[in-house]
Amino acid sequence: MSKTTRATQALAKAGVSFTVHAYDYDPSAEKVGMQAAVALGETPGRVLKTLMAEVDGRPVCVIVPSDREVSMKKLAAAFRGKTASMMKPADAERLTGYHVGGISPFGQRKAVPTVLEEQALAHAAVYINGGQRGLQVRLSPVDARNTLKAVAASVVA
């Protein structure tokens, strides 16, 4: 497994301080984010999952704790939209250039509006997918928000 991905390159280029953490990815896991938290020995609230969605038909990136679900109503409101829905996996892969289970908000093929669950900002450090299945980057949630120019909002159900 390479620890250099488009995501880690994007973070390095932005001058963000981060560490890389590999774990044994289980493709049969019911919840990939929760499996990552367990494998890393971290609480689920600090291991964030990256989801791709659409608000009023436009792509957006959503970063939430691995043990929480996204409220579509809150997600739409965060982007001043009317409706939100999860993006189909094939569409998410095509848009981001990453495989499902390895989608990172950093270094995507096309930058899209991003929202970071505001609860994540309470932690000194969080884990976010590093652009490959079984690879997480540990960084400050404030650095993640600033690098991604993300909106911080409550989007969990």
Side-chain angles (χ1 to χ4, degrees):
M1 170 185 302
S2 173
K3 292 188 179 186
T4 301
T5 64
R6 285 194 330 271
T8 59
Q9 290 171 338
L11 287 168
K13 184 177 179 182
V16 173
S17 176
F18 68 96
T19 55
V20 177
H21 302 267
Y23 66 96
D24 289 329
Y25 174 81
D26 180 1
S28 66
E30 188 175 321
K31 296 188 177 197
V32 174
M34 291 294 291
Q35 190 259 327
V38 170
L40 293 167
E42 285 291 338
T43 61
R46 285 184 37 158
V47 179
L48 308 180
K49 59 186 174 183
T50 304
L51 304 169
M52 299 305 294
E54 294 179 344
V55 173
D56 295 342
R58 295 189 193 107
V60 298
C61 182
V62 188
I63 307 166
V64 297
S66 59
D67 61 343
R68 303 297 302 272
E69 297 297 323
V70 176
S71 161
M72 292 300 134
K73 187 174 183 177
K74 289 180 179 180
L75 177 60
F79 290 108
R80 297 186 177 134
K82 292 182 180 184
T83 62
S85 61
M86 295 307 299
M87 191 178 286
K88 293 178 183 170
D91 293 341
E93 289 182 344
R94 192 170 30 261
L95 179 71
T96 64
Y98 293 119
H99 294 291
V100 169
I103 293 178
S104 177
F106 309 106
Q108 291 187 1
R109 278 189 184 146
K110 181 181 178 192
V112 298
T114 301
V115 64
L116 174 67
E117 170 55 44
E118 65 186 7
Q119 294 174 11
L121 296 172
H123 300 288
V126 293
Y127 293 81
I128 299 176
N129 194 289
Q132 190 172 328
R133 293 172 179 162
L135 192 72
Q136 298 279 318
V137 291
R138 182 179 186 267
L139 72 165
S140 154
V142 172
D143 285 346
R145 181 194 64 199
N146 294 346
T147 301
L148 295 165
K149 296 177 179 63
V151 173
S154 174
V155 293
V156 294

